[in-house]
Amino acid sequence: MTLHPSSSRFSDRRAFLASMAAALAAPGLAYAAGAASPAAALPDLGAAPEFTGIERWLNSEPLSLAQLRGRVVLVDFWTYACINCIRTLPHVNRWAEQYTPQGLTVVGVHTPEFPFERPTANVEAAMRRHGVKHPVAQDNRYGTWKAYSNQYWPATYLIDAQGRIRYKHFGEGEYERTEGVIRTLLAARG
């Protein structure tokens, strides 16, 4: 469908596209203009919602973002029957292993797409199969999923040491970019 340049929808679309282009360019421009650090160039996407509605914690006692303040937190929404999630797990596992000693906490939020993904025993078997050793919150009622307004598997959110979301990525890929943001946020925490 083509929009006529004089239509209001065309103008709305142009304004939207212009604002998106500016938002995407802003972090790079801020850093190029001499921002204090690469972390300052990252967008501030708002306060990270607390983990909520979690049925069970696996590999960990219950966690809260309040108790993780001062650490960088990677929240990984996944489900074990999702092939895209399975393909991202080796990267998430490596980040957890490599960067936890430096101040990163990886929290998997297992939010099932299908009823057979709800039983804890099935999630635990999948975690063993894929080598998941970091904390996993079992979000069967979609409480945390909804708190983040998440819509995708897999979805990665990076939260800075002050509890602000500074990066998000949906789907596979962007592993180098994501790892670069992890390093940037870790360096910024001092």
Side-chain angles (χ1 to χ4, degrees):
M1 177 174 117
T2 305
L3 297 175
H4 191 275
S6 64
S7 76
S8 65
R9 287 184 59 205
F10 183 84
S11 297
D12 292 345
R13 183 173 179 218
R14 287 183 75 185
F16 171 77
L17 291 173
S19 68
M20 290 305 297
L24 291 172
L29 292 175
Y31 187 61
S37 72
L42 293 170
D44 183 336
L45 302 171
E50 191 56 75
F51 302 116
T52 185
I54 301 304
E55 184 173 303
R56 183 170 287 108
W57 284 87
L58 307 170
N59 290 344
S60 173
E61 294 297 318
L63 296 173
S64 71
L65 287 177
Q67 79 185 92
L68 294 173
R69 191 67 43 95
R71 296 185 62 82
V72 173
V73 180
L74 185 154
V75 176
D76 175 45
F77 285 94
W78 68 291
T79 188
Y80 74 79
C82 165
I83 188 64
N84 306 98
C85 297
I86 292 168
R87 290 179 183 149
T88 64
L89 282 175
H91 301 278
V92 175
N93 291 342
R94 183 177 58 77
W95 296 329
E97 185 176 319
Q98 183 173 350
Y99 295 108
T100 294
Q102 297 174 38
L104 176 70
T105 298
V106 174
V107 177
V109 178
H110 186 275
T111 310
E113 184 174 10
F114 303 107
F116 67 83
E117 295 172 303
R118 292 178 185 275
T120 301
N122 292 354
V123 178
E124 289 173 325
M127 289 170 61
R128 283 190 300 276
R129 187 168 52 252
H130 298 293
V132 175
K133 296 176 183 162
H134 53 268
V136 173
Q138 199 172 353
D139 189 26
N140 282 348
R141 294 183 302 262
Y142 286 64
T144 298
W145 174 281
K146 290 175 185 172
Y148 278 76
S149 299
N150 191 50
Q151 299 178 38
Y152 308 100
W153 293 279
T156 302
Y157 295 81
L158 281 169
I159 302 165
D160 68 16
Q162 290 74 43
R164 309 291 295 176
I165 297 172
R166 302 300 298 277
Y167 173 84
K168 58 185 173 181
H169 176 72
F170 307 122
E172 294 182 62
E174 295 293 329
Y175 302 117
E176 289 179 14
R177 168 87 172 119
T178 302
E179 186 167 1
V181 175
I182 290 169
R183 289 179 180 180
T184 297
L185 293 176
L186 288 172
R189 68 185 277 270

